[in-house]
Amino acid sequence: MTTSMPTSPFTDPVPAHRLERAAAALAAHGFTVEILDGAADARTRVQCLIPEGASVLTGASETLRLSGIADDINGSGRYDAVKPRVLAMDRATEGDEIRRLTATPDVIVSSVHAVTETGSLVIASGSGSQLPGNAGGAARAIWVVGAQKVVPDLDTALRRVEDHCLPLESARTQEAYGWRSAVNRLLVLKAEHVAGRGTVLLLREAIGF
């Protein structure tokens, strides 16, 4: 059985039946999955999922920025927010401590670049700094994912990373830092073997890259 290619350039929300297919496949692979209407619901749900006082790392994510989730975590004072601490540290003299803080928080909240209807999550990175927490270093992981990121399979997911996400992220880093991004590392999460560790919040709307 073959799956048809998406007709949109990776920007349109997939229909409900494809979102539900991805959710079912992820659940079969050990992920906890919730389908929510939109970013506002995800913002509320994330706050319910994270214990007050937990150390929390937010990944570099337009989804988290646009939804307000990043500000909720890093600026509310409810959590031990890792990102503000890391940004205030000296990378030349405190690099080892930065590496440890980002690799093993209590909770990592991030997004992904693609989720497949076969039940995998795909995350690309230039430096790899946020991959350890997503891969298993964090005790819990929460991924907030817009419906436009659902693709049929892993091959299509990798095309989405290279053809859609990378140009947008490169434009962002060029404006912000003066250099273009790159896909130097790829993390493919095919299953979650620790019950309750990984939660995917699938949104019915498009948000982020």
Side-chain angles (χ1 to χ4, degrees), residues 36 40-51 56 64 69 72-73 78-79 107 109 142-144 201:
L36 305 175
D41 299 299
R43 189 174 184 178
T44 300
R45 188 68 182 121
V46 166
Q47 292 185 43
C48 294
L49 289 171
I50 305 174
V56 187
L64 299 190
I69 293 171
D72 289 343
I73 293 170
R78 294 183 61 202
Y79 314 108
V107 183
V109 183
I142 301 168
W143 298 284
V144 183
L201 302 180

Side-chain angles (χ1 to χ4, degrees), residues 94-177:
E94 299 176 284
D96 284 345
E97 181 62 16
I98 290 172
R99 176 174 51 80
R100 284 188 286 267
L101 285 169
T102 56
T104 58
D106 295 329
V107 183
I108 186 166
V109 183
S110 189
S111 189
V112 302
H113 294 97
V115 55
T116 73
E117 291 173 57
T118 54
S120 295
L121 304 174
V122 177
I123 306 173
S125 177
S127 68
S129 61
Q130 63 183 6
L131 297 187
N134 281 290
R140 291 196 62 191
I142 301 168
W143 298 284
V144 183
V145 186
Q148 85 280 14
K149 298 184 180 183
V150 174
V151 297
D153 50 38
L154 189 55
D155 284 344
T156 314
L158 298 181
R159 283 194 291 275
R160 186 177 198 280
V161 168
E162 294 283 353
D163 297 343
H164 176 72
C165 301
L166 179 58
L168 292 172
E169 177 62 7
S170 283
R172 186 192 72 81
T173 58
Q174 183 68 48
E175 181 177 352
Y177 311 117

Side-chain angles (χ1 to χ4, degrees), residues 13-23 35 117 147 150 202-204:
V14 298
H17 72 277
R18 291 186 58 196
L19 200 68
E20 290 163 4
R21 184 183 301 149
I35 298 178
E117 291 173 57
V150 174
L202 282 176
L203 310 187
R204 293 188 175 92

